[in-house]
Amino acid sequence: MSVTVQRGLTPEEVAQRVAAGQVNALPPRSGRTVGEIVRANVFTRINAILGVLLVIVLATGSWINGAFGLLIIANSAIGIIGELRAKRTLDNLAVLGEAHPLVRRADGEHRVARDEVVLDDLIVLTPGDQVVVDGEVVEADYLEVDESLLTGESDPEPKGAGDAVMSGSFAVSGSGTYRATKVGADAYAAQLADEASRFTLVRSELRAGIDRILRFITWLLIPVGLATIVVQLMYAGVDWRQAVLRMAAALVPMVPEGLILLTSTAFALGVIRLGRRQCLVQELPAIEGLARVDVVCADKTGTLTENGMRCRSIDPVGGHDAGEAAEVLAQLVAADPHPNASMQAIAESVPAAARPWTPTARAPFTSAKKWSGISFADAGSWVLGAPEVLASGQLVAEAEEIAAQGLRVLLVGRAELPVDADGAPGAVEPLALVVLEQRVRPDAAGTLEYFADQGVQVKVISGDNARSVGAVTRELGVVTGDPVDARTLDTPEKLADAVGTASVFGRVTPQQKRGMVHALQADGHTVAMTGDGVNDVLALKDADLGVAMGSGSSATRAVAKVVLLDDRFATLPHVVAEGRRVIGNIERVANLFLTKTVYSALLALLVVLWRVQFPFQPIHVTITGWFTIGIPAFLLSLAPNHERARPGFVARVMRLGLPSGVIIAAVTFVTYLLVRPASGLDSEAGREQVAAACLAALIVAATWVLAVVARPYEWWRIALVAASFGAYAFIFLHPLTQDLFHLDSSNTLMMVTGLAVGGVGAVLVELVWWIRGWVFGEKHRFWKSPELDPREA
């Protein structure tokens, strides 16, 4: 069917519409702007605390004691660089994927940028062209449009003059022209994307736990800081500079600044590692998400199956042979200038025609007539289509039996009439049944099996036919159960009940996908959603973690927290492993940082209660963190870790960090009380000797916390603990470091006292570790077991 060709807009009419704002200006891409990213990473609670303390310390003129201020730069830079890298990659993807429609105007047809389309423009569609704005068809020649990215329905829809087409769909057969009726933010796909593009952060238990700790510390710093400086000025008898320095020395270690830096570093390194696997992580904490997910909602098309189909078999019928069938199919392929997905699959399974026949008439496939055909000079007319339309009797029953397995069956045969004749095709002589199937991703079964082994439920949710979805899942052999036709789930209660018990769903609408995610979350699950089409956008947005395919629509890539650039579903286990490495290792090293926060706060309070001079300067607590926490924690955070993520991060960290911090504060202050009477605190040398003895006690006990946290042992973990003790021995004994860090270890009695009391603290830390395991039933292993996770290799 065709209609009279219509004239396009004149340049003057285009200019009028541009001036009126009736142009296809798209909403801004999702995610934060560069300015928002910078502000979010610079103006943080941790940077504010450290910044104030840095200004106070620098006011004393002691620059070496302000070394902790470098962490402000490091904390900000890592977060900014990681997010900007992800934003740049995604924006480049979006630009590369943008369509350039063919627009008909008064001066001819031109390809223009998508945002140059104006209201009432005439846009030409040929197979494969994307519908870039909403419109009304004004010309159609067997035009069919695939709306699967919008509706999830894989079968194309025939479109005639007067029918509506929506942005996000694309032409699959025939040709036509449509007039733009809604442009820019008014278009359907743009509205979906805009609703889903409001920025939200990935839920992160690590970040939430750290924030809770920081809020507590913020409120604690003010009274402790004021009390400390009052005690130093009024009772300890030191000048204001020493009072300020010792106040800062008391407060700075209370802030777990290294934990923030290390968490950002671990996330950033995770982003880089996954990037090498063509996996784009748009927010640093997102890699934690999949480690906690216990339900994965996987879209069938584009996730478990590849886009397109494959020919499973060509079965001759009626006494014909396979060679004859292959020759006819090859000729049909050669004569089709715009092959659809079915014809492309056939083309891959038959040899190219050696001598193409000359076509005389062509009839494109449409859903209405369910067949396509070509008439050839001297070779007759041949058709390809639905068996129930082109044949009857036993052959149709046989085709229906095959189709019950979720396969697509087509019949190829010789037509009685030319394909363009009235009443075509007439009687059809069957030649062969062509059995097509969707191409299941070769790595899909292994990926689903991995999730099953890890106790992660998989829900296959698709807008396609439920029987077809069930056939795919049966072939994969992992997700079991009868498929559910979502058209029967007409109430929220039915939807919630079904998603809680069944695993395979077909004919699911975009709103139902979103409802399924909400139902699972309401049942206490952490949900990941994978998808590639606009119909997946809202579900991806509301899931705890959205995962999009790189070849999917720009809307899905924009709202997802993880984008699989190479479309490999098999990358997800690596994302899980990376998330587990980050969570497990950060939880491990968080024990070190919380221990430091606890002993620092208690030391400050003890000094206030005893009204004595604080034993340390800021540089002392800075070097304490180098080898008991900073460097070892960084190395431990990089180690493989395949422990499953568990809730209760803060509680588990408190079980070791709190008692260990109390022990370290006690042994440090006991050492201070023991060595203080024997020293002259009025002299610089006396203060440095006391500081060295107290620091020795603190370091011995704190390094033993490292020795406990590093378990189960491997050779490098033992070497790490030994190197930490060795580094501190060098700092205490070498004249250059003694002078640089204001330490004097020449008083043997003081140093022996400090080391002995610190040794007692180490024994108590060891007892805490054993008691914690006994009370809470946690497994304690000294040595790493030899077995490896199968994905570690």
Side-chain angles (χ1 to χ4, degrees):
M1 180 183 67
S2 63
V3 298
T4 304
V5 174
Q6 300 195 22
R7 178 188 66 85
L9 299 176
T10 65
E12 293 76 16
E13 291 171 330
V14 172
Q16 290 173 0
R17 284 160 175 75
V18 171
Q22 297 171 330
V23 65
N24 192 40
L26 299 177
R29 294 191 179 101
S30 74
R32 293 188 281 191
T33 64
V34 173
E36 289 171 337
I37 290 173
V38 171
R39 285 194 297 272
N41 284 280
V42 172
F43 299 105
T44 64
R45 186 189 303 269
I46 200 78
N47 285 352
I49 295 172
L50 292 177
V52 171
L53 292 175
L54 177 62
V55 171
I56 293 173
V57 169
L58 293 181
T60 68
S62 180
W63 294 90
I64 186 66
N65 280 304
F68 65 87
L70 294 174
L71 287 168
I72 299 176
I73 300 174
N75 281 339
S76 302
I78 290 174
I80 291 171
I81 291 171
E83 285 201 51
L84 288 180
R85 174 182 174 274
K87 175 180 174 61
R88 182 175 63 252
T89 303
L90 188 71
D91 285 349
N92 290 340
L93 271 175
V95 170
L96 291 174
E98 285 183 356
H100 286 74
L102 182 63
V103 175
R104 180 192 302 159
R105 290 176 177 164
D107 56 351
E109 296 181 350
H110 311 281
R111 292 222 173 256
V112 301
R114 187 171 58 177
D115 55 5
E116 294 177 0
V117 175
V118 300
L119 191 68
D120 295 325
D121 254 333
L122 294 180
I123 304 169
V124 179
L125 282 179
T126 58
D129 286 346
Q130 184 180 19
V131 178
V132 295
V133 294
D134 293 359
E136 178 183 332
V137 176
V138 295
E139 302 169 5
D141 184 13
Y142 294 108
L143 176 65
E144 289 198 327
V145 174
D146 187 327
E147 297 179 337
S148 61
L149 290 179
L150 297 173
T151 65
E153 170 58 63
S154 61
D155 292 331
E157 291 289 330
K159 298 291 181 180
D163 289 341
V165 289
M166 293 186 293
S167 52
S169 57
F170 58 93
V172 292
S173 65
S175 60
T177 304
Y178 69 98
R179 186 186 305 278
T181 58
K182 291 183 179 179
V183 295
D186 293 332
Y188 177 72
Q191 290 174 350
L192 280 179
D194 182 57
E195 180 180 348
S197 64
R198 298 184 183 93
F199 181 80
T200 57
L201 282 171
V202 178
R203 180 184 176 276
S204 167
E205 186 178 348
L206 283 179
R207 186 182 58 224
I210 292 171
D211 284 346
R212 291 214 308 271
I213 295 172
L214 285 179
R215 282 196 298 270
F216 172 75
I217 292 171
T218 302
W219 290 108
L220 187 64
L221 284 175
I222 298 174
V224 171
L226 291 175
T228 302
I229 201 166
V230 167
V231 168
Q232 300 305 299
L233 285 173
M234 298 183 63
Y235 297 100
V238 297
D239 64 39
W240 74 270
R241 288 183 177 83
Q242 283 294 323
V244 166
L245 286 176
R246 294 181 186 279
M247 181 270 293
L251 298 186
V252 167
M254 292 171 58
V255 182
E257 75 286 342
L259 180 57
I260 308 299
L261 174 60
L262 192 63
T263 302
S264 298
T265 303
F267 283 146
L269 288 176
V271 168
I272 293 172
R273 288 184 180 187
L274 292 174
R276 291 171 182 162
R277 297 184 180 275
Q278 295 297 297
C279 176
L280 170 66
V281 180
Q282 299 199 67
E283 292 178 20
L284 297 184
I287 56 177
E288 176 190 347
L290 260 178
R292 299 194 184 281
V293 162
D294 58 1
V295 177
V296 173
C297 295
D299 182 49
K300 177 182 71 70
T301 306
T303 301
L304 302 181
T305 62
E306 299 175 354
N307 292 320
M309 310 186 79
R310 69 179 176 189
C311 183
R312 182 169 183 171
S313 65
I314 300 173
D315 304 325
V317 297
H320 297 282
D321 59 45
E324 184 181 358
E327 173 64 17
V328 171
L329 289 170
Q331 295 296 341
L332 290 174
V333 168
D336 192 343
H338 303 297
N340 58 21
S342 298
M343 194 62 77
Q344 290 173 4
I346 293 171
E348 294 176 358
S349 64
V350 298
R355 294 181 179 178
W357 299 340
T358 302
T360 59
R362 182 181 296 110
F365 179 89
T366 67
S367 297
K369 67 179 190 295
K370 296 188 181 300
W371 61 268
S372 63
I374 300 177
S375 296
F376 297 97
D378 304 324
S381 298
W382 297 89
V383 292
L384 179 71
E388 64 271 21
V389 173
L390 300 177
S392 60
Q394 181 60 34
L395 186 60
V396 174
E398 181 182 342
E400 289 180 348
E401 185 176 344
I402 298 173
Q405 304 173 31
L407 303 172
R408 177 169 293 181
V409 184
L410 300 176
L411 172 69
V412 60
R414 182 188 292 271
E416 177 186 14
L417 301 174
V419 296
D420 59 347
D422 292 338
V428 175
E429 179 189 351
L431 175 63
L433 291 177
V434 181
V435 182
L436 303 176
E437 63 182 352
Q438 288 187 302
R439 294 179 292 187
V440 177
R441 292 186 183 276
D443 48 26
T447 304
L448 294 179
E449 185 178 357
Y450 171 83
F451 283 130
D453 292 342
Q454 298 299 316
V456 178
Q457 298 181 49
V458 176
K459 307 283 186 181
V460 179
I461 300 175
S462 175
D464 209 346
N465 181 277
R467 189 171 60 181
S468 175
V469 180
V472 170
T473 56
R474 284 194 299 272
E475 180 180 345
L476 292 172
V478 179
V479 181
T480 58
D482 294 331
V484 176
D485 191 327
R487 290 175 296 185
T488 64
L489 308 176
D490 50 6
T491 66
E493 293 74 21
K494 289 182 180 179
L495 188 71
D497 291 342
V499 79
T501 56
S503 299
V504 184
F505 299 86
R507 299 299 188 201
V508 185
T509 66
Q511 290 73 22
Q512 285 180 316
K513 287 188 179 184
R514 192 183 200 183
M516 287 178 174
V517 169
H518 291 171
L520 289 167
Q521 291 171 329
D523 200 29
H525 294 290
T526 303
V527 183
M529 177 74 196
T530 71
D532 66 342
V534 177
N535 65 307
D536 300 317
V537 165
L538 298 180
L540 285 171
K541 167 71 175 179
D542 290 353
D544 295 284
L545 192 73
V547 182
M549 299 297 164
S551 65
S553 70
S554 58
T556 56
R557 297 197 304 267
V559 302
K561 301 302 185 290
V562 175
V563 181
L564 305 180
L565 300 179
D566 58 358
D567 292 356
R568 293 190 67 237
F569 187 48
T571 304
L572 285 186
H574 297 290
V575 180
V576 172
E578 194 62 38
R580 290 182 175 179
R581 182 191 65 78
V582 169
I583 293 176
N585 290 338
I586 293 300
E587 181 173 319
R588 180 191 300 273
V589 300
N591 286 288
L592 300 175
F593 290 100
L594 185 61
T595 298
K596 185 190 74 164
T597 296
V598 172
Y599 74 63
S600 300
L602 285 179
L603 268 179
L605 291 174
L606 289 171
V607 166
V608 169
L609 292 175
W610 257 262
R611 299 180 182 181
V612 294
Q613 184 176 325
F614 196 80
F616 302 130
Q617 296 185 40
I619 189 60
H620 295 151
V621 295
T622 299
I623 63 173
T624 301
W626 287 352
F627 301 109
T628 61
I629 302 173
I631 296 174
F634 177 74
L635 295 176
L636 288 172
S637 71
L638 301 179
N641 192 323
H642 295 279
E643 297 178 6
R644 294 186 184 181
R646 298 172 294 163
F649 159 71
V650 174
R652 284 194 303 276
V653 171
M654 293 290 286
R655 292 170 193 167
L656 180 64
L658 184 59
S660 297
V662 172
I663 291 170
I664 294 173
V667 299
T668 304
F669 198 71
V670 166
T671 301
Y672 184 37
L673 296 179
L674 290 175
V675 302
R676 182 171 174 270
S679 68
L681 288 180
D682 294 334
S683 67
E684 184 67 25
R687 287 194 292 268
E688 291 184 0
Q689 288 176 355
V690 169
C694 295
L695 202 59
L698 188 154
I699 285 172
V700 169
T703 307
W704 200 255
V705 175
L706 169 64
V708 166
V709 167
R711 297 168 186 168
Y713 289 137
E714 299 175 77
W715 69 267
W716 68 269
R717 295 177 189 261
I718 296 175
L720 179 63
V721 176
S724 297
F725 278 115
Y728 283 120
F730 177 83
I731 289 175
F732 274 85
L733 298 176
H734 196 281
L736 178 62
T737 52
Q738 284 184 344
D739 182 63
L740 179 63
F741 300 133
H742 305 295
L743 293 172
D744 185 353
S745 58
S746 61
N747 191 315
T748 304
L749 179 60
M750 287 187 182
M751 292 302 297
V752 169
T753 302
L755 292 172
V757 177
V760 173
V763 172
L764 293 176
V765 168
E766 182 73 17
L767 288 175
V768 166
W769 185 69
W770 282 102
I771 292 172
R772 184 188 70 161
W774 177 65
V775 172
F776 296 101
E778 298 180 5
K779 294 181 180 179
H780 283 333
R781 294 180 298 158
F782 271 90
W783 301 100
K784 182 176 175 63
S785 95
E787 70 266 7
L788 288 175
D789 182 275
R791 299 271 164 174
E792 186 171 345

